[in-house]
């Protein structure tokens, strides 16, 4: 029974990945708005109802890669060591992402990743859906930081900071630079941004 359940779970993962890969390949070729869902289902060799069981919307076919990171900032705060401040833990986590060229930091020059980000940022419906993911992240992070307006403001600042840094990194790479070349600047920008955030938080706590 356990082995059968494991096989079913792996089959579901393979089907999900097959659908998503087919969708992104078609979107990169013809644009998001130029590909009907029926064509994606046909390419993945599944029915439309099956496709929508795995992905509730057309946008989710692309943005599930971001959804996999949903709640990540909140988890970093919850899992940090007791003597590490939330902003310091988030800074360390973002810096670690830069060091391993994690696509979510914008610092990845693989052609497929650059094209994927261009698709997302250049498609209004995808950009709008991505904003909703970020708002969800903000809500989860605020809950992890504590109660009150202070936690909500700090969460909004962190999520905005990470978005601006990632977009800046991607733009430099989209302009033709390598991730290795951009890496020192990305680290410096992240240090500057998180240092400013910590200073602002400390000042607000002092005034409070």
């Amino acid at each position: 029974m356990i082995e059968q359940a494991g096989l079913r779970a792996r089959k579901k993962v393979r089907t999900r990945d097959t659908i998503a890969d087919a969708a992104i390949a078609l979107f990169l070729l013809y644009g998001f708005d130029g590909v009907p869902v029926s064509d994606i289902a046909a390419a993945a060799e599944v029915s439309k109802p099956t496709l929508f069981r795995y992905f509730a919307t057309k946008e989710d076919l692309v943005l599930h890669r971001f959804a996999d990171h949903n709640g990540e900032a909140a988890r970093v705060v919850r899992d940090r060591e007791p003597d590490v401040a939330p902003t310091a833990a988030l800074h360390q986590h973002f810096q670690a992402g830069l060091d391993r060229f994690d696509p979510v930091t914008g610092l990845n020059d693989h052609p497929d990743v650059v094209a994927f980000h261009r698709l997302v940022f250049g498609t209004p419906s995808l950009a709008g859906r991505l904003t909703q993911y970020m708002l969800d992240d903000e809500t989860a992070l605020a809950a992890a930081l504590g109660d009150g307006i202070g936690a909500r403001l700090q969460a909004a600042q962190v999520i905005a900071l990470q978005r601006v840094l990632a977009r800046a990194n991607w733009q430099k790479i989209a302009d033709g630079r390598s991730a290795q070349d951009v890496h020192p600047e990305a680290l410096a920008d992240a240090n500057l941004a998180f240092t400013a955030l910590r200073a602002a938080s400390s000042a607000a706590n002092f005034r409070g």
Side-chain angles (χ1 to χ4, degrees), residues 5-82:
L7 287 172
R8 285 195 296 270
R10 289 194 294 273
K11 183 178 179 181
K12 286 182 178 180
V13 170
R14 285 196 300 271
T15 300
R16 182 176 184 267
D17 289 346
T18 296
I19 295 170
D21 290 346
I24 291 172
L26 289 171
F27 292 150
L28 291 176
L29 281 174
Y30 304 110
F32 182 79
D33 296 324
V35 181
V37 171
S38 57
D39 285 2
I40 299 168
E45 298 183 343
V46 299
S47 66
K48 281 180 63 175
T50 296
L51 183 151
F52 283 120
R53 280 201 298 272
Y54 286 89
F55 298 96
T57 70
K58 186 179 178 182
E59 286 77 14
D60 288 338
L61 287 160
V62 177
L63 296 178
H64 74 281
R65 294 184 177 182
F66 290 97
D68 290 342
H69 290 273
N70 260 22
E72 189 167 83
R75 288 191 294 273
V76 169
V77 169
R78 287 194 301 267
D79 296 344
R80 76 190 191 281
E81 296 296 327

Side-chain angles (χ1 to χ4, degrees), residues 42-143:
E45 298 183 343
V46 299
S47 66
K48 281 180 63 175
T50 296
L51 183 151
F52 283 120
R53 280 201 298 272
Y54 286 89
F55 298 96
T57 70
K58 186 179 178 182
E59 286 77 14
D60 288 338
L61 287 160
V62 177
L63 296 178
H64 74 281
R65 294 184 177 182
F66 290 97
D68 290 342
H69 290 273
N70 260 22
E72 189 167 83
R75 288 191 294 273
V76 169
V77 169
R78 287 194 301 267
D79 296 344
R80 76 190 191 281
E81 296 296 327
D83 60 341
V84 177
T87 49
L90 290 163
H91 184 185
Q92 292 166 7
H93 181 74
F94 191 84
Q95 181 172 299
L98 293 173
D99 289 341
R100 65 176 181 270
F101 300 101
D102 190 328
V104 77
T105 67
L107 193 66
N108 187 295
D109 56 10
H110 190 286
D112 289 347
V113 174
V114 176
F116 175 80
H117 283 144
R118 184 176 287 111
L119 171 70
V120 172
F121 297 142
T123 306
S125 61
L126 291 175
R129 182 75 168 170
L130 183 58
T131 297
Q132 184 58 55
Y133 280 126
M134 291 180 176
L135 289 173
D136 293 343
D137 264 352
E138 182 184 313
T139 299
L141 178 56

Side-chain angles (χ1 to χ4, degrees), residues 145-180:
L145 288 169
D147 299 321
I149 190 66
R152 291 165 60 187
L153 287 171
Q154 189 175 34
Q157 290 171 328
V158 169
I159 298 303
L161 178 155
Q162 292 179 338
R163 174 183 58 81
V164 169
L165 290 173
R167 185 67 181 266
N169 293 336
W170 173 80
Q171 189 61 62
K172 291 174 183 177
I173 290 171
D175 290 341
R177 296 175 62 188
S178 71
Q180 196 70 48

